Amino acid sequence: SSNEHKLNFKKSKEACLSYIQDALLQKQWKRAAEFLTCYVESLEKDYSREHVGPSEMIWRIGTEILWHHSQNGMKEFSCFMEQMKTLGVKRYLKVCLEHVFHLLCNGQIDEAYQNLSLAESWRFGEQTAIQDKEMKLIQAYRGLLDYYSWSKQKNILLDHGEDGFSDLSVEQEMHGYFRKAAVNLKEIIKIPGVWDLFVKCYVDLLEFYGDHNEAHQVLNEYAYNSKFPANPNAHVYLYQFLKRQGESKKSLISALKILHDIVPSHELMIDFNTMLQKSKKRKKRRLGLEVIFAALDYAGWKENAKAWNCLARQMKQIVISEKYLDWIKQEWNSRKDWWPAFHFSRYLAKRNWQENKSLSYEKALVAGILLGKGCKYFKYVSQQGCKAQLKRFRVLKKFVNRHNPVYLRISG
Amino acid sequence: RDFNERCAQCSEVNWGITDGGRFYCRSCHNVTERTREVVNTDCITNSRVQTISKGLRKQEKNDGGSEWYICEGFQLVLKKQVEALEALGVCPQMKDEVLCNFWRCYLQKSKQAYCKRPAGEAVKALSVCESSTDVDSDPEKPSLLHLLSLSESEGDLQTDCSFASSMSKVSESTSVYSGSVDGSLYLMKNQKEKLRMTMPMTLSFCYMALLWVREPITLSELLRFVVEGHIPYLNVFQHFPEKMKLCGLDLKIFCVESWPVYEEVFNQMHELAAFLDLPRFPDITESCFLHPDMLCMKYLMEANLPDELHNWTCRVVKKIGIGEVDFLTLMPGNKTTRKVKYDVLAVAVIVVVLKLLFLLDDHYEWLLSELAEERNKNNTEVCIFYSGGPYFEFKKWYEVVKHSLDVEQKKLDEERAKYLWRCEKPLFYSVKNKSKVLKRRQMVVNLQNQFGKLSGSVQCAEKPNPSSFQLSWSEEKADGSCFHGHSLKGILQEKRGLLTARNPDYWLCTVKLCNEKLCGHLAHYREVEFPQSYHFVLGLFSFLLRVQPSYIHDEVCMIEHKLFNKKLCKKTKIQHSPKK
């Protein structure tokens, strides 16, 4: 006989869970609470074979409900979290950590710090070793909060300025925070992962105390260690650091190279192209052209006058020198099918002219070179420009007319 | 007196019993460790079964409990259940005369009481008090895990295993498998042979008693009352007296974590009736509530169908002979007669009648409905009044009933998701995990309070009064949502002085019935193979009876078989013969 339809404890609770899920998705907190009340007795039954047991369910669902719909605010929330901590030893640190996050979101920095310290001192036999990762995270976040305190003290010091003596205690405190923060931040960034905020803070500390070597090493590791996941920000941080340190163009360029590979549309591509354009090395200049073309492939750059300016400048240079026209040809090959409609339509010509004359100027130059003097964009803009008696547009017109054969060579 | 082993010391067979309940050899006064269990034939109103030998039962155990046997527990359960039934209006004779005797008979037949040697197995009993310290340990002694798996109650494997492992650490000689004396023994006994008592079977007992006194409660109603909490079932052990401590294997026996199904209770009841060698039950006659004519009326009302349909159900009942006393009355042990499911049968008759009159092929019934609608439009109120109600419109009926059904079904589904299975009385397998269990319970109560407050709804303390009708329709409502008084004129015609259906066709649910013994069903119901209207009607009664639609479908097939089989046989004969 088929007893599959028989209603039993397990099925009843499964149904209960799906009602909770529906209610949560529709943000019906009261209803979710209603069903959760009926679900909690699952705790009395053992589900250790299941992947996610009732205690975890209740923790996560309860957190959601209380976060959005609590009558007594954070007090009730914290009370609930404390209960959840006792529910599952295997999850203790995780619950602590999430509790801390909620406290931080609520602006309760001090409570968060207290909880972190408490969690850090937790020991529970072999669980301590098993939950090693969570422990590291807890220490890392405490380090972060220590950095935050350090930063506050630093600002106090800077505000007071010359008044050195009475700030000795502040200074000492500040150093204390530095030491605590540094230790923990250093530890966490050793583990492969994405630690943007931690890295930034740590580097900030190191720079303040003048340990540039360490900072450089840290950033290098973060950007180039293959064990770490590819992270554009890592390269950005490194670049910014090197710039601050006044490093050579060569090292700056190498810092941005991978960024270009990962995120060709990054805003730093303008800086990158600018540096590359000016390089004496042919390869670098070639790369520069590639970089700027790649950036302008993205819709977000369409109206960026500076970017167009970079491209225009470089292309003008190439055209005038009549060397390396094949570079332009190469870049244009894969774009000639869609760039005209994407950038150089008549509609865009009108709009650009109306909204941003500099933009239209740069674009017209590029269009003129790539598509010849007969292209709609160039024609319209140069016409308008000349009508408006703007000198540079006349110059532009002349230039393009003079170099029209170039277009033929490019497009051919 | 029945102990026939030779004394280890003097090889005589001359045994007596000490005050402590042990066997001693009268010749050489060698005292063995063997104990004897005897069950008394005290009156059943004293719900504790006492022993003859004084002092055999240890009154005081460490935790303030005393010895108790599983059947005592069940006796208490039955007592509570029948008291609840009495509170619902069932006649008191059921308790004192009927159920009482059934139970006594059962105990006797299963050799748990009222007989000379209740357990040759008593010697092997793993009792709480001193057990055998014989050198040759019983090779048949089952492992605890095996015992745990024998019970039908669902446990969690983890708890079972941890219990089993924690038990095995206890020394071989003493075993605290259960709070009751014979918990482990109980699970060990061969189910099939002696019809071991289980929680679902208590309901079989109740139903059997109800049937005997012919109370107007159908099995589906009984089960519904159980689920609604009017009859103790879930957590009924809460009402056991303090001294009866439940733990270990007792939990497997008395804790339920699922609602019993109609089929299960029904089949077990029949097995039980046969086991007890009961005679023919009191006759179910036309005036009985359980007679199809009566039940059809009830269900027609509940389904909001016109009263006129009752004529038709009576006709069908008469034609296929299911209104006969001999058909309806239960003869235990008679394997040839089909066991009658009164409620399912009645409902199936209605379904067949609907098919007869409306065809229910997803076309014809809507056609008829349109015609009726036309007629109703044309008629004035006065006409309707005089001609006995408006024409019954299937479409309107469908809309009204479907709406209500959906609402009720939704409510039911939510209730099902909100059942609370646990109760205040904590359950623990062994004293070892008692503190853990209590802590958990406390946490659960805390969480329930916390989130209960957040949910804002007031928990209704009173459960709704038990009622026989789940759907009710009132003619007083002017919105025309009650169809009892509607007329079937539009779909009937007169032929040779007899009213017949306009509908000339009929489709059979199945051409051939399955062999029930082979596959357990008469037919196999798959939604997609049948018209939506048929599916809807089955769904409606399935909701009312809380059984699966296929269950009703089987019964419909049975009725159709009775109704049409002869015709079908004739037809096939005619078809085959001219070819010769």
Side-chain angles (χ1 to χ4, degrees):
Chain A
S1 73
S2 58
N3 277 341
E4 289 109 33
H5 58 268
K6 203 165 162 179
L7 185 67
N8 57 18
F9 187 98
K10 189 162 173 219
K11 286 203 186 115
S12 173
K13 293 308 168 199
E14 273 169 17
C16 194
L17 267 183
S18 70
Y19 277 103
I20 295 177
Q21 185 179 35
D22 282 343
L24 286 176
L25 287 171
Q26 294 175 55
K27 304 200 199 284
Q28 294 170 329
W29 310 113
K30 266 193 185 173
R31 190 169 152 87
E34 195 184 326
F35 280 94
L36 185 62
T37 315
C38 303
Y39 180 76
V40 294
E41 61 171 15
S42 302
L43 283 177
E44 295 185 86
K45 205 151 153 53
D46 180 69
Y47 278 70
S48 55
R49 276 194 294 181
E50 308 275 330
H51 186 58
V52 180
S55 50
E56 185 164 354
M57 285 287 193
I58 291 169
W59 165 47
R60 294 207 181 275
I61 296 171
T63 306
E64 272 309 294
I65 295 175
L66 284 172
W67 185 244
H68 291 104
H69 174 71
S70 172
Q71 280 159 1
N72 295 325
M74 280 310 283
K75 206 166 139 221
E76 191 178 4
F77 187 85
S78 291
C79 177
F80 172 73
M81 289 305 245
E82 292 303 323
Q83 273 186 304
M84 290 299 106
K85 284 176 193 171
T86 66
L87 251 193
V89 144
K90 291 191 191 151
R91 220 179 296 123
Y92 180 79
L93 287 180
K94 224 192 253 181
V95 178
C96 282
L97 202 52
E98 297 232 355
H99 186 197
V100 162
F101 292 155
H102 282 104
L103 288 168
L104 288 173
C105 286
N106 202 42
Q108 291 170 273
I109 316 280
D110 291 333
E111 278 92 342
Y113 194 84
Q114 273 167 27
N115 272 288
L116 283 171
S117 305
L118 206 64
E120 221 182 321
S121 61
W122 181 73
R123 297 283 177 275
F124 200 96
E126 56 175 30
Q127 280 298 319
T128 329
I130 294 172
Q131 298 186 42
D132 175 59
K133 282 206 181 86
E134 284 86 349
M135 186 56 93
K136 285 233 157 58
L137 276 175
I138 286 174
Q139 287 164 335
Y141 276 97
R142 199 170 68 83
L144 204 62
L145 290 183
D146 282 327
Y147 166 85
Y148 179 69
S149 304
W150 171 87
S151 183
K152 270 204 292 191
Q153 301 297 70
K154 182 188 84 169
N155 288 337
I156 292 173
L157 263 185
L158 292 175
D159 279 345
H160 288 184
E162 302 83 37
D163 195 13
F165 286 96
S166 57
D167 285 330
L168 197 63
S169 60
V170 173
E171 205 178 319
Q172 291 228 353
E173 254 192 270
M174 191 183 89
H175 292 321
Y177 281 126
F178 159 69
R179 276 189 287 272
K180 284 202 278 187
V183 160
N184 284 326
L185 291 175
K186 184 171 180 180
E187 272 309 301
I188 198 71
I189 60 183
K190 279 192 197 154
I191 305 173
V194 179
W195 306 114
D196 287 357
L197 187 58
F198 299 90
V199 165
K200 270 179 97 170
C201 296
Y202 188 44
V203 166
D204 188 28
L205 285 174
L206 290 171
E207 278 194 270
F208 183 84
Y209 285 95
D211 194 351
H212 304 291
N213 281 331
E214 177 70 9
H216 195 170
Q217 214 180 7
V218 162
L219 288 169
N220 262 338
E221 264 293 294
Y222 194 52
Y224 295 120
N225 187 339
S226 56
K227 290 207 195 114
F228 281 70
N231 183 354
N233 292 336
H235 302 275
V236 173
Y237 297 156
L238 178 60
Y239 170 78
Q240 286 169 340
F241 171 78
L242 293 172
K243 206 165 166 196
R244 282 197 296 272
Q245 298 297 311
E247 293 285 326
S248 66
K249 282 275 184 308
K250 188 164 169 217
S251 40
L252 289 179
I253 285 172
S254 76
L256 285 179
K257 189 148 189 322
I258 301 186
L259 185 60
H260 160 69
D261 288 333
I262 310 175
V263 190
S265 59
H266 199 276
E267 57 182 6
L268 283 175
M269 290 303 107
I270 291 186
D271 289 22
F272 195 31
N273 167 271
T274 310
M275 284 192 286
L276 288 169
Q277 258 192 53
K278 297 194 191 138
S279 168
K280 293 206 182 87
K281 301 247 174 81
R282 182 167 36 107
K283 265 201 190 148
K284 295 244 160 65
R285 293 200 303 276
R286 175 71 186 90
L287 178 63
L289 191 65
E290 187 186 315
V291 163
I292 195 67
F293 260 106
L296 286 167
D297 278 340
Y298 290 87
W301 288 80
K302 272 170 100 161
E303 317 218 318
N304 189 320
K306 190 87 198 343
W308 284 105
N309 172 262
C310 285
L311 179 58
R313 229 175 339 125
Q314 196 166 11
M315 279 179 66
K316 195 169 171 188
Q317 238 245 334
I318 292 171
V319 163
I320 291 173
S321 71
E322 297 206 2
K323 270 202 261 180
Y324 312 121
L325 282 171
D326 51 306
W327 288 359
I328 300 182
K329 190 169 176 185
Q330 277 162 20
E331 291 300 326
W332 187 234
N333 235 351
S334 57
R335 291 174 171 94
K336 63 184 177 213
D337 291 328
W338 61 280
W339 263 44
F342 191 57
H343 287 302
F344 305 127
S345 66
R346 190 171 156 77
Y347 166 76
L348 276 173
K350 278 191 182 162
R351 216 179 80 184
N352 292 154
W353 172 254
Q354 262 178 348
E355 290 172 5
N356 188 342
K357 299 212 171 27
S358 304
L359 174 69
S360 62
Y361 171 81
E362 307 291 349
K363 279 179 77 174
L365 179 53
V366 174
I369 297 174
L370 292 173
L371 295 170
K373 64 182 180 189
C375 93
K376 331 175 239 213
Y377 194 94
F378 170 74
K379 261 170 88 175
Y380 179 84
V381 169
S382 59
Q383 232 173 33
Q384 294 296 319
C386 292
K387 238 197 266 176
Q389 300 203 337
L390 295 167
K391 185 170 175 211
R392 57 182 173 157
F393 284 92
R394 258 186 296 139
V395 174
L396 169 67
K397 195 167 178 184
K398 275 199 203 142
F399 180 83
V400 171
N401 281 331
R402 194 161 8 117
H403 294 275
N404 203 43
V406 167
Y407 145 69
L408 294 168
R409 282 167 67 184
I410 293 171
S411 60
Chain B
R1 271 139 251 144
D2 307 295
F3 192 29
N4 285 330
E5 277 203 16
R6 289 188 173 277
C7 168
Q9 269 182 220
C10 64
S11 304
E12 291 270 352
V13 184
N14 190 4
W15 299 101
I17 300 184
T18 65
D19 277 354
R22 303 193 198 158
F23 288 104
Y24 73 94
C25 177
R26 289 206 188 94
S27 315
C28 65
H29 299 283
N30 168 34
V31 180
T32 69
E33 295 295 292
R34 292 291 178 95
T35 58
R36 200 187 108 160
E37 284 180 23
V38 174
V39 174
N40 186 342
T41 57
D42 266 359
C43 178
I44 204 160
T45 52
N46 174 8
S47 64
R48 296 179 66 78
V49 179
Q50 286 164 10
T51 57
I52 294 176
S53 326
K54 56 180 182 218
L56 178 64
R57 175 182 298 244
K58 286 191 170 169
Q59 285 299 329
E60 288 303 310
K61 289 202 309 195
N62 298 336
D63 51 0
S66 58
E67 292 177 0
W68 58 279
Y69 293 82
I70 295 290
C71 56
E72 286 180 70
F74 277 118
Q75 200 166 298
L76 258 176
V77 171
L78 282 172
K79 183 158 168 275
K80 285 278 164 206
Q81 287 174 339
V82 81
E83 278 168 6
L85 282 168
E86 246 180 280
L88 288 176
V90 166
C91 63
Q93 286 98 330
M94 204 186 92
K95 172 179 170 197
D96 300 326
E97 291 170 19
V98 180
L99 193 58
C100 204
N101 284 325
F102 282 161
W103 179 242
R104 238 179 279 181
C105 184
Y106 170 78
L107 287 175
Q108 197 165 28
K109 292 255 179 212
S110 60
K111 303 206 187 335
Q112 286 173 75
Y114 304 110
C115 48
K116 279 198 178 169
R117 190 156 43 140
E121 313 123 331
V123 176
K124 282 196 245 165
L126 303 158
S127 61
V128 176
C129 37
E130 297 91 328
S131 55
S132 171
T133 48
D134 281 354
V135 180
D136 45 300
S137 54
D138 196 335
E140 288 167 9
K141 193 155 137 193
S143 75
L144 187 49
L145 262 176
H146 176 60
L147 287 180
L148 288 166
S149 66
L150 281 179
S151 149
E152 294 127 353
S153 123
E154 286 148 61
D156 17 286
L157 194 61
Q158 177 82 338
T159 328
D160 286 0
C161 286
S162 65
F163 175 58
S165 62
S166 68
M167 280 300 104
S168 61
K169 288 180 198 148
V170 178
S171 65
E172 273 286 303
S173 52
T174 57
S175 32
V176 192
Y177 284 64
S178 58
S180 63
V181 175
D182 58 343
S184 52
L185 175 67
Y186 207 78
L187 287 175
M188 217 163 49
K189 274 198 290 195
N190 188 339
Q191 253 182 297
K192 296 235 168 73
E193 264 181 30
K194 286 181 187 151
L195 215 66
R196 193 180 72 196
M197 189 68 184
T198 58
M199 279 305 290
M201 212 149 92
T202 59
L203 296 177
S204 300
F205 264 97
C206 288
Y207 178 54
M208 197 165 66
L210 285 169
L211 187 58
W212 187 273
V213 293
R214 297 176 291 182
E215 280 286 339
I217 298 184
T218 60
L219 179 54
S220 54
E221 265 179 332
L222 175 68
L223 293 176
R224 183 162 58 85
F225 289 156
V226 166
V227 169
E228 287 175 2
H230 304 297
I231 296 178
Y233 184 76
L234 197 68
N235 300 329
V236 69
F237 53 80
Q238 281 181 96
H239 305 294
F240 284 9
E242 262 303 299
K243 288 184 278 184
M244 279 170 84
K245 299 276 175 197
L246 246 88
C247 73
L249 291 169
D250 302 329
L251 301 186
K252 282 279 164 180
I253 298 168
F254 287 106
C255 295
V256 264
E257 283 187 350
S258 61
W259 296 116
V261 222
Y262 187 107
E263 225 172 319
E264 196 186 339
V265 178
F266 182 78
N267 291 336
Q268 274 202 318
M269 184 218 104
H270 288 278
E271 273 178 49
L272 192 59
F275 177 71
L276 298 180
D277 271 330
L278 293 178
R280 179 180 163 115
F281 271 54
D283 286 347
I284 307 280
T285 59
E286 272 167 14
S287 54
C288 273
F289 178 77
L290 295 173
H291 191 275
D293 286 342
M294 295 283 255
L295 281 178
C296 279
M297 191 67 235
K298 172 189 193 286
Y299 291 121
L300 281 170
M301 276 180 72
E302 202 165 359
N304 201 12
L305 289 164
D307 297 340
E308 281 185 33
L309 282 171
H310 190 237
N311 301 331
W312 291 86
T313 62
C314 292
R315 273 169 82 170
V316 168
V317 166
K318 192 157 181 196
K319 179 121 195 209
I320 59 177
I322 58 173
E324 300 300 311
V325 172
D326 290 330
F327 175 84
L328 292 170
T329 312
L330 175 61
M331 269 293 294
N334 185 341
K335 299 220 172 113
T336 53
T337 55
R338 189 179 162 73
K339 316 268 188 291
V340 182
K341 307 176 187 105
Y342 304 97
D343 35 19
V344 184
L345 182 67
V347 151
V349 168
I350 298 177
V351 174
V352 169
V353 164
L354 287 174
K355 280 176 78 179
L356 280 168
L357 297 178
F358 296 97
L359 190 53
L360 294 187
D361 67 341
D362 285 345
H363 291 295
Y364 192 71
E365 66 271 22
W366 304 109
L367 206 67
L368 286 177
S369 184
E370 274 173 30
L371 286 171
E373 202 184 339
E374 276 300 309
R375 286 206 176 99
N376 278 333
K377 258 197 247 168
N378 296 335
N379 281 354
T380 61
E381 293 236 354
V382 178
C383 266
I384 290 174
F385 179 74
Y386 277 118
S387 64
Y391 288 82
F392 175 72
E393 289 174 51
F394 188 87
K395 181 165 173 235
K396 265 205 193 145
W397 171 81
Y398 173 84
E399 283 167 0
V400 169
V401 171
K402 181 159 177 22
H403 174 77
S404 294
L405 185 60
D406 285 346
V407 167
E408 293 302 311
Q409 183 71 58
K410 187 161 176 248
K411 263 199 243 168
L412 181 64
D413 289 338
E414 280 196 19
E415 266 170 41
R416 281 191 171 141
K418 287 204 213 167
Y419 279 145
L420 289 177
W421 297 83
R422 297 286 161 136
C423 63
E424 279 312 311
K425 185 160 177 170
L427 305 169
F428 28 88
Y429 269 90
S430 62
V431 185
K432 269 170 97 179
N433 69 351
K434 180 174 179 176
S435 61
K436 186 174 171 200
V437 166
L438 286 175
K439 255 205 303 195
R440 274 285 154 112
R441 180 75 210 158
Q442 189 57 45
M443 162 99 46
V444 166
V445 169
N446 286 342
L447 289 171
Q448 281 175 337
N449 284 335
Q450 185 168 27
F451 288 100
K453 279 194 217 130
L454 279 183
S455 61
S457 60
V458 180
Q459 298 289 342
C460 40
E462 285 295 315
K463 15 178 212 256
N465 283 329
S467 78
S468 200
F469 287 84
Q470 295 173 74
L471 299 172
S472 62
W473 316 91
S474 167
E475 296 205 277
E476 284 144 16
K477 280 203 200 145
D479 59 359
S481 63
C482 179
F483 293 82
H484 296 155
H486 287 215
S487 165
L488 297 175
K489 293 193 291 289
I491 61 170
L492 300 175
Q493 62 195 3
E494 233 186 272
K495 247 187 188 177
R496 294 185 238 124
L498 201 66
L499 270 180
T500 54
R502 279 250 164 86
N503 168 33
D505 297 322
Y506 194 89
W507 57 271
L508 288 172
C509 285
T510 177
V511 176
K512 194 167 168 217
L513 292 178
C514 265
N515 186 341
E516 211 167 5
K517 288 195 185 118
L518 284 179
C519 65
H521 295 282
L522 282 178
H524 298 272
Y525 176 67
R526 276 183 284 272
E527 259 174 64
V528 291
E529 291 175 358
F530 294 97
Q532 289 293 311
S533 301
Y534 179 69
H535 177 58
F536 172 74
V537 165
L538 276 189
L540 171 61
F541 290 115
S542 159
F543 170 80
L544 290 176
L545 262 48
R546 307 287 166 90
V547 294
Q548 291 292 293
S550 54
Y551 211 51
I552 304 175
H553 178 77
D554 274 8
E555 210 74 356
V556 169
C557 290
M558 187 270 291
I559 294 175
E560 287 181 347
H561 181 82
K562 280 200 202 291
L563 209 48
F564 296 112
N565 199 37
K566 284 201 192 118
K567 261 196 194 162
L568 272 179
C569 286
K570 266 193 219 163
K571 255 193 182 167
T572 47
K573 277 190 192 149
I574 292 167
Q575 276 172 357
H576 286 170
S577 51
K579 289 194 183 162
K580 279 190 190 160

